[in-house]
């Protein structure tokens, strides 16, 4: 056999093609490892640099973020549910019906978030992921300065053109809070080297790829905020309620389906959910390691209507380098108040009498029980300077804290490590396989049909 015949023969040998494919794939900058597995599949793993979060995001992280940026830019361009310049609800649709969420409900959602931001009377607010300006319009005139940052060029352009007094808008991602563009905007509204008293991330963390990225953004926000200021992480999808949420959506789609069918469909839906979910302990763990003192409060959604925004989400307030906390109040179990003929009236009397923490309140948004109470009813009964909180370890249990400042506890005191649903894993498996096949078609056409598989769990876990 001549050398040329030998080369042709070897190039068509399946095992040789697979080995060639693995070597070729190692040339791709996103791929850190490649090899032929038993059975002939070429298995690849992402390069560490492709998944880097700091100091700058790697290309796979950038692609993930760009994907969400394009979705929202298109949503804001179409402006399908724009009631007014200050009430653009485009993209806010109900998961069970696909129809827009009611404007009155969304208006209350916005107002409750504004209340949360203003609770500590901030002078300057930096909002990362400002969207269409639902909060910007309502914070204007109630704070001295506001900076809104977003990746969607359409949203930033419209808000900048609106001329909102005391506000500045920049196109920047959440991880760019310490960048030049945001710094220049802060200088404009807060003076040279001014620091925000509140960094706000509201209904934006679901677009983050994983806990590593969340941690990087939060640590930067904690470092940036002024002493005594807050980092408000709002409208977070609770990871502990993902199964309940998926069962609710599937039951709405098929009310007559058998329970086991709903369970299987819900599990499949949860698996393909493309948003980041986490619970309060995971969020608290994300700020571990900062040199600054952080106190952490988990706030329930106190919306009047019982929708997915009320049931499956929570708000968190991180107070950075706080003043000395108020004395710990005495704890009263809800069962003590529930024994009264009118438990809510008993709650009002108890909060009026002085500091108190009421625990173990069954959450009527999630539990079908006679003694369950809604967070909205608790908020209305408990009076001013009161926080309605979620039990950090159990979202089906509510708490009432009076005064509100007593809801905060040291971040490190929350039970850990928590749980999360991280969509980056599924994204990397799909996108890296696509990139690998394209690379083979371009650089090793004879091996273009070799099966390629991304190793499961190839994305690194968040570390302390």
């Amino acid at each position: 056999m001549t050398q040329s015949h030998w080369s042709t023969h070897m190039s068509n040998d399946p095992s040789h093609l697979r080995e060639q494919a693995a070597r070729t794939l190692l040339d791709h900058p996103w791929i850190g490892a490649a090899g032929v597995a038993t059975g002939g599949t070429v298995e690849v793993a992402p390069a560490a640099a492709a998944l880097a979060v700091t100091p700058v995001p790697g290309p796979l992280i950038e692609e993930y973020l760009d994907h969400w940026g394009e979705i929202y830019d298109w949503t804001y361009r179409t402006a399908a549910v724009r009631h007014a310049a200050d009430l653009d609800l485009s993209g806010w649709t109900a998961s069970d019906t696909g129809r827009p969420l009611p404007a009155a409900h969304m208006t209350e959602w916005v107002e409750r978030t504004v209340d949360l931001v203003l609770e500590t009377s901030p002078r300057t607010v930096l909002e990362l992921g400002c969207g269409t300006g639902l909060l910007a319009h309502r914070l204007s005139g109630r704070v001295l300065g506001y900076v809104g940052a977003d990746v969607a060029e359409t949203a930033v352009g419209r808000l900048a053109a609106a001329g909102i007094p005391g506000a500045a808008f920049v196109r920047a991602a959440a991880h760019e809070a310490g960048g030049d563009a945001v710094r220049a905007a802060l200088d404009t509204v807060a003076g040279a080297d001014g620091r925000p008293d509140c960094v706000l991330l509201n209904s934006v963390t679901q677009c983050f790829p994983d806990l590593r990225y969340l941690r990087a953004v939060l640590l930067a926000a904690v470092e940036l905020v002024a002493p005594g200021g807050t980092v408000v992480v709002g409208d977070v999808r609770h990871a502990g309620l993902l199964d309940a949420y998926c069962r609710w959506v599937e039951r709405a789609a098929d009310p007559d389906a058998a329970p086991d069918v709903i369970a299987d469909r819900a599990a499949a839906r949860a698996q393909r959910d493309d948003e980041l979910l986490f619970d309060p302990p995971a969020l608290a763990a994300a700020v571990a390691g900062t040199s600054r003192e952080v106190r952490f409060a988990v706030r329930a959604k106190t919306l009047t209507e019982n929708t997915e925004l009320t049931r499956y989400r929570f708000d968190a307030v991180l107070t950075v380098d706080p003043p000395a906390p108020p004395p710990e109040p005495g704890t009263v179990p809800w069962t003590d108040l529930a024994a009264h003929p009118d438990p809510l009236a008993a709650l009002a009397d108890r909060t009026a009498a002085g500091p108190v923490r009421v625990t173990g309140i069954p959450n009527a948004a999630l539990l079908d029980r006679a003694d369950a109470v809604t967070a909205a009813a608790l908020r209305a009964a408990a009076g001013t300077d009161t926080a309605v909180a979620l039990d950090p370890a159990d979202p089906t249990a509510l708490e009432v804290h009076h005064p509100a400042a007593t809801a905060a506890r040291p971040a490190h005191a929350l039970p850990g490590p928590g749980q999360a649903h991280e969509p980056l894993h599924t994204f990397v498996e799909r996108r890296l396989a696509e990139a690998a096949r394209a690379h083979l078609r371009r650089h090793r056409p004879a091996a273009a049909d070799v099966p390629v598989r991304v190793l499961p769990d190839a994305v690194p876990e968040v570390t302390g």
Side-chain angles (χ1 to χ4, degrees):
M1 182 181 293
T2 65
Q3 179 66 34
S4 61
H5 286 160
W6 182 86
S7 299
T8 302
H9 172 75
M10 289 299 293
S11 66
N12 292 324
D13 177 69
S15 62
H16 183 65
L17 282 176
R18 294 183 180 100
E19 292 169 359
Q20 284 186 325
R23 288 194 294 271
T24 300
L25 289 175
L26 286 173
D27 295 333
H28 195 290
W30 295 3
I31 295 175
V36 182
T38 302
T41 298
V42 174
E43 293 184 334
V44 299
L51 293 172
V53 172
T54 57
V56 294
L60 281 169
I61 301 295
E62 284 281 10
E63 283 223 3
Y64 184 93
L65 298 173
D66 287 347
H67 161 76
W68 279 107
E70 290 169 3
I71 287 175
Y72 278 102
D73 197 60
W74 178 86
T75 300
Y76 299 151
R77 282 201 312 272
T78 56
V81 193
R82 195 169 193 236
H83 298 275
D86 64 350
L87 192 65
D88 187 342
L89 301 178
S90 300
W92 286 97
T93 57
S95 299
D96 57 337
T97 65
R99 294 194 293 268
L101 287 161
H105 182 55
M106 288 302 305
T107 299
E108 185 185 17
W109 175 88
V110 174
E111 290 172 348
R112 294 289 80 78
T113 305
V114 170
D115 291 343
L116 198 63
V117 171
L118 296 178
E119 214 169 72
T120 55
S121 303
R123 294 162 297 177
T124 304
V125 173
L126 166 62
E127 183 177 5
L128 303 175
C130 61
T132 60
L134 292 172
L135 298 173
H137 284 285
R138 288 153 184 83
L139 289 170
S140 175
R142 303 171 78 174
V143 297
L144 292 179
Y146 169 96
V147 172
D150 203 279
V151 294
E153 185 175 6
T154 298
V156 172
R158 282 179 182 162
L159 289 169
I164 301 174
F169 298 91
V170 296
R171 190 181 183 195
H175 65 269
E176 297 173 315
D180 292 343
V182 173
R183 180 68 266 165
L186 284 170
D187 288 347
T188 299
V189 303
D193 299 322
R195 302 173 75 173
D197 304 289
C198 175
V199 178
L200 173 61
L201 297 99
N202 191 62
S203 201
V204 67
T205 58
Q206 71 268 19
C207 301
F208 290 2
D210 61 2
L211 289 178
R212 298 176 310 127
Y213 185 86
L214 173 72
R215 184 183 185 194
V217 170
L218 287 180
L219 289 178
V222 166
E223 291 304 314
L224 182 61
V225 75
T230 59
V231 177
V232 176
V233 187
D235 206 43
V236 177
R237 292 186 63 196
H238 198 301
L241 297 173
L242 177 58
D243 179 66
Y245 162 81
C246 291
R247 287 173 183 266
W248 166 70
V249 174
E250 293 299 336
R251 178 59 69 192
D254 192 352
D256 299 324
D260 58 335
V261 173
I262 293 296
D264 290 344
R265 290 175 180 171
R269 176 177 287 274
Q271 181 66 29
R272 65 177 183 269
D273 196 299
D274 61 357
E275 296 186 354
L276 174 66
L277 288 76
F278 48 88
D279 65 1
L283 179 56
V287 296
T290 178
S291 60
R292 306 184 73 179
E293 180 187 356
V294 177
R295 293 184 67 84
F296 189 100
V298 184
R299 306 293 282 271
K301 304 296 283 187
T302 59
L303 304 173
T304 306
E305 296 296 323
N306 185 11
T307 71
E308 61 193 282
L309 303 185
T310 315
R311 287 192 294 273
Y312 307 117
R313 306 192 182 200
F314 68 93
D315 299 321
V317 180
L318 286 62
T319 306
V320 180
D321 293 337
E328 286 286 319
T331 298
V332 174
W334 176 249
T335 51
D336 287 2
L337 301 181
H340 289 69
D342 187 343
L344 290 175
L347 173 65
D349 291 341
R350 186 59 189 83
T351 55
V356 67
R357 174 180 292 131
V358 182
T359 61
I361 309 170
N363 186 351
L366 298 168
L367 298 174
D368 185 13
R369 287 172 42 174
D371 60 343
V373 188
T374 67
L378 293 171
R379 179 178 183 271
T384 59
D385 195 18
T386 302
V388 180
L390 281 185
D391 182 329
D394 181 6
T396 67
L398 298 170
E399 300 174 346
V400 171
H401 299 260
H402 175 71
T406 60
R409 63 195 76 186
H412 61 76
L414 268 70
Q419 58 181 316
H421 170 83
E422 300 177 282
L424 182 63
H425 295 265
T426 302
F427 175 82
V428 168
E429 287 186 21
R430 175 184 61 79
R431 187 65 187 94
L432 195 60
E434 292 172 349
R437 287 190 288 269
H439 190 73
L440 289 177
R441 286 195 299 270
R442 187 176 300 113
H443 299 286
R444 187 70 63 178
D449 294 328
V450 168
V452 176
R453 171 176 174 264
V454 178
L455 290 172
D457 302 320
V459 180
E461 300 292 335
V462 65
T463 57

